[in-house]
Amino acid sequence: MRLRSAVAIALAISIVGLAASFAQADGDAMVIVPASDPRVGGLSGLEVTPDGASFTAISDRGYLLTGQFERTNGVLNTISITGIRDLPGPDGVRPAPGKAGRDSEGLSITSDGRLYISFEGNHRLTRYRPDGAVIDEIALPQPDGLVDNNGFEALALDHLDRPVVIQEGAARPPTTSAIYRLEGGEWREIAYLQRNSSFLPVGADFGPDGALYLLERKVSFTGFHSRIRRLDLTADGTIEGDIVWQPATTYGNLEGLSVWTDAEGALRATMVADDNFLPFMPGGMVEIGLDNASNGM
């Protein structure tokens, strides 16, 4: 999601110092993504490999990035970008500049390397081959209130590689949002997410434990605030889940989430902050341990 209001930009300026000074504790870390290439920025979706060694990310200007992590004693300390390429349209050509064609937001990768990417503006879900060629485009659900900047940023693939999506903006009714799953080419409402506290869904991933982890974000006059909820999709009706991480401080505009297991068997979450291609906003990755996560750090 791109920030649109002057208030939000001023807010970003005021919090950059806090985000940049993230303190490492108990294996948690925030590291700035190197931006020597002008195409690096606006990172909104993230997938980390099962071994935690490398990643794929997408930019809200329609770029696909790959990179590697380095850690010392399990703590993330270095990120390197190893590749950047355009995300083509169905015709094989990079779409024209603008939100409608290039605003890629959600990313998930299948077990055989195919990519699902959700777009805002022209709301759609595009499937890509591992080599980056388009397989097809899938129309997303069209709930009431779906506009340019409140689309389906929360995208994840379940154990059968079926896409699951949740709208960022409030759908029907205002206190809940449908959780959709693609089944046999049709979107089905499988549950409803209980919404509260002005947090909006911006990223999602299924963990190795089978639970859906939902990254949510809100913006207030005190800064960006983030949290992670753990959802059990085997439950029926409206799901509230459990808040497993809600830090007291801010780490920037966190939008992408990937959940994985480290070599010691500990559950970890890596998140990426969207800097909106603005030099005063932090474009970093935050990595935390979920097994011992708490509501504050």
Side-chain angles (χ1 to χ4, degrees), residues 6-16 219-224:
V7 171
I9 297 299
L11 175 61
I13 296 173
S14 70
I15 67 171
V16 64
V219 183
S220 74
F221 287 104
T222 58
F224 290 102

Side-chain angles (χ1 to χ4, degrees), residues 24-31 70-78 268 287:
Q24 296 183 1
D26 299 324
D28 303 324
M30 180 173 185
V31 176
E70 291 185 13
R71 298 178 180 85
T72 300
N73 297 324
V75 178
L76 180 64
N77 57 23
T78 304
R268 301 197 64 77
E287 196 163 279

Side-chain angles (χ1 to χ4, degrees), residues 37-283:
D37 188 302
R39 295 172 294 176
V40 178
L43 302 182
S44 301
L46 178 70
E47 277 285 321
V48 176
T49 53
D51 62 0
S54 57
F55 67 89
T56 302
I58 53 172
S59 154
D60 57 18
R61 290 187 181 173
Y63 294 112
L64 182 77
L65 296 84
T66 55
Q68 295 181 329
F69 298 119
E70 291 185 13
R71 298 178 180 85
T72 300
N73 297 324
V75 178
L76 180 64
N77 57 23
T78 304
I79 296 170
S80 59
I81 303 298
T82 58
I84 305 174
R85 68 187 188 207
D86 296 341
L87 287 173
D91 58 359
V93 178
R94 177 169 167 78
K99 183 176 178 63
R102 295 185 181 178
D103 193 1
S104 50
E105 293 286 350
L107 167 68
S108 283
I109 302 177
T110 66
S111 52
D112 62 0
R114 288 171 294 138
L115 293 85
Y116 281 83
I117 297 177
S118 61
F119 290 80
E120 283 188 329
N122 176 12
H123 299 284
R124 65 198 188 278
L125 182 65
T126 304
R127 288 197 304 167
Y128 294 86
R129 295 198 313 240
D131 64 5
V134 173
I135 299 173
D136 57 13
E137 287 193 341
I138 302 166
L140 284 163
Q142 297 290 313
D144 293 340
L146 183 65
V147 297
D148 280 358
N149 213 41
N150 72 349
F152 292 91
E153 295 194 18
L155 163 67
L157 297 177
D158 68 9
H159 69 289
L160 297 177
D161 280 340
R162 295 177 297 185
V164 172
V165 296
I166 305 173
Q167 185 189 0
E168 178 189 4
R172 50 151 287 247
T175 56
T176 64
S177 283
I179 301 175
Y180 299 92
R181 184 169 62 207
L182 189 63
E183 301 178 359
E186 300 291 334
W187 292 103
R188 186 169 77 86
E189 297 180 3
I190 59 173
Y192 293 90
L193 175 71
Q194 181 68 51
R195 305 176 70 117
N196 50 56
S197 303
S198 302
F199 279 91
L200 302 179
V202 292
D205 195 21
F206 281 94
D209 56 358
L212 179 64
Y213 289 84
L214 181 66
L215 174 63
E216 298 175 293
R217 175 208 56 215
K218 73 175 180 179
V219 183
S220 74
F221 287 104
T222 58
F224 290 102
H225 300 275
S226 301
R227 73 181 185 186
I228 297 175
R229 272 198 276 177
R230 183 185 185 276
L231 306 175
D232 178 7
L233 292 191
T234 63
D236 296 324
T238 300
I239 302 173
E240 186 165 9
D242 299 313
I243 299 173
V244 296
W245 183 69
Q246 187 170 343
T249 189
T250 180
Y251 305 121
N253 184 23
L254 296 177
E255 289 199 353
L257 169 70
S258 188
V259 179
W260 52 284
T261 304
D262 67 19
E264 284 70 43
L267 194 64
R268 301 197 64 77
T270 306
M271 293 162 278
V272 66
D274 180 358
D275 65 1
N276 288 275
F277 285 93
L278 296 172
F280 49 77
M281 289 185 66

